[in-house]
Amino acid sequence: MTDQPHQPYGQQPYEGHDAQAWPGQQPYQSYQGYGEQPDPNAGQYTQQWQGQTWETQVQPPVSAEETAYLPPHAQPQPPPQPQPESYPDPYPSQGYGQQQSYQPQPYQSQAYAPQPQPQPYEPPAAPAPAPSSASASDDPGYGPATVAGNTRITDAQRARAEGRSPIIDPGMQPAGLTALLGLLLSGAAALGTYALLVPLVVLQAVTAAGWFRLNGMWPARQGIALGFAGALAADAALLVSDRSPAAILGTLGVWVLLSLVLQLRSHADPDERMYGLMATIAAAALAVVAGGYLAADADAVTVGGIAVAVAAVARALPLPTPASVVVALLAAAGAGIAVGSVTDFGASGALLGAGAAVCALIGLRVAAYDYPSRFVHFTAGVALPLAAAAPAVYLLGRALA
């Protein structure tokens, strides 16, 4: 047996484990490290006990001076493992001959982005109060937007509620186009029947499209095509029958029956089918009746076309409605006298011009109804005055010839 207690080679007792002393021996003192003096009172706090052990020989005491300066024997360390750069090892490996002291690492709280807090429910804003009657005249004439789910009234309904008229006259630009088309009809009638056919076809096409747009039905390609086809059929029947008016009536009857059959095959609601039937029949009737210029006398078409052109321009002048109507009728009568003196009508041209102007003003009134759009003005507002004047030109032309 040796004089030293049984320990592994080169190792010292760990810190925190007190050395056990044998009877009559001084206890071991914990290792203090280099340059430190042993604690003389260490033995007072060392636990001592007596008992039988397997070691029967008394071991000589070992003083702290003999072991305090022994060279530390470091155990071979394994090769260092690669550590992440951003996470250094808080517990580096040390040899057994060095004292390890644990220093707690301060906990570093990570800053988190604040989570969005739920916003309290806000009820929808109350609808804005309706403008007063004093400021209603400054508004553009459109109904107020609603945010509470109320049904928005139309501009015509609002105008009626406020006592304003829903009639908007086409204006000077559509009147200028009407005058141009009327002059083309007058000049073409003086040239011949087939020359008159060119501006007449344009008039019939614009009439069919304008009537559907005036009724709020757009694009309505089938109805427009049906009305325009009826007008072409009427023109062809007039040319074949040597401009007999019976061709207009026969074509109109056939097209009414055809429109009825087509609407019966429709899968729309009954109300919509009835509304479409009335719009289709009216468009076809107006386009076919416009062919009356082809059946009328050439001199009557010349007088009537110029009278309608003058009446449309005079009606568009910035005058009060009654005054503009009177001015338009007088101007049409004067134009009829002037053109009638050139033709065979003479002074009776005034009556022809005034009659054509009355029908033209009715057509303008229809095209101005229920807040029409600019597209309505440039279609129905251009064609309806001339189309409505065609029966008067034919009847008065035959009566005054």
Side-chain angles (χ1 to χ4, degrees), residues 204-218 220 224 275-287 363 366-367 375-376 379-381 383-384:
Q204 291 169 333
V206 178
T207 300
W211 184 258
F212 276 97
R213 191 65 184 92
L214 179 63
N215 287 269
M217 304 174 65
W218 190 259
I224 295 174
Y275 188 69
L277 177 63
M278 294 295 102
T280 304
I281 292 176
L286 288 172
V366 173
F375 187 81
V376 174
T379 51
L384 284 183

Side-chain angles (χ1 to χ4, degrees), residues 23 98 146 181 248 294-295 329 339:
Q98 299 180 1
T146 59
L181 190 56
I248 295 178
L294 195 61
L329 292 177
V339 178

Side-chain angles (χ1 to χ4, degrees), residues 20 33 93 109 131 145 147 149 151 212 234 276 330 341 344 352 359:
Q20 306 295 332
S93 60
S109 61
V147 294
T151 304
F212 276 97
L330 293 177
S341 62
D344 296 336
L352 176 59
C359 296

Side-chain angles (χ1 to χ4, degrees), residues 152-164:
R152 180 175 177 176
I153 63 174
T154 62
D155 295 328
Q157 293 173 347
R158 183 184 179 188
R160 292 189 185 98
E162 295 177 356
R164 294 186 290 111

Side-chain angles (χ1 to χ4, degrees), residues 192-207:
T193 302
Y194 291 97
L196 177 61
L197 193 61
V198 175
L200 179 60
V201 169
V202 175
L203 173 62
Q204 291 169 333
V206 178
T207 300

Side-chain angles (χ1 to χ4, degrees), residues 170-195:
M172 184 58 71
Q173 292 181 353
L177 294 177
T178 302
L180 176 62
L181 190 56
L183 293 176
L184 290 176
L185 288 172
S186 299
L191 295 177
T193 302
Y194 291 97

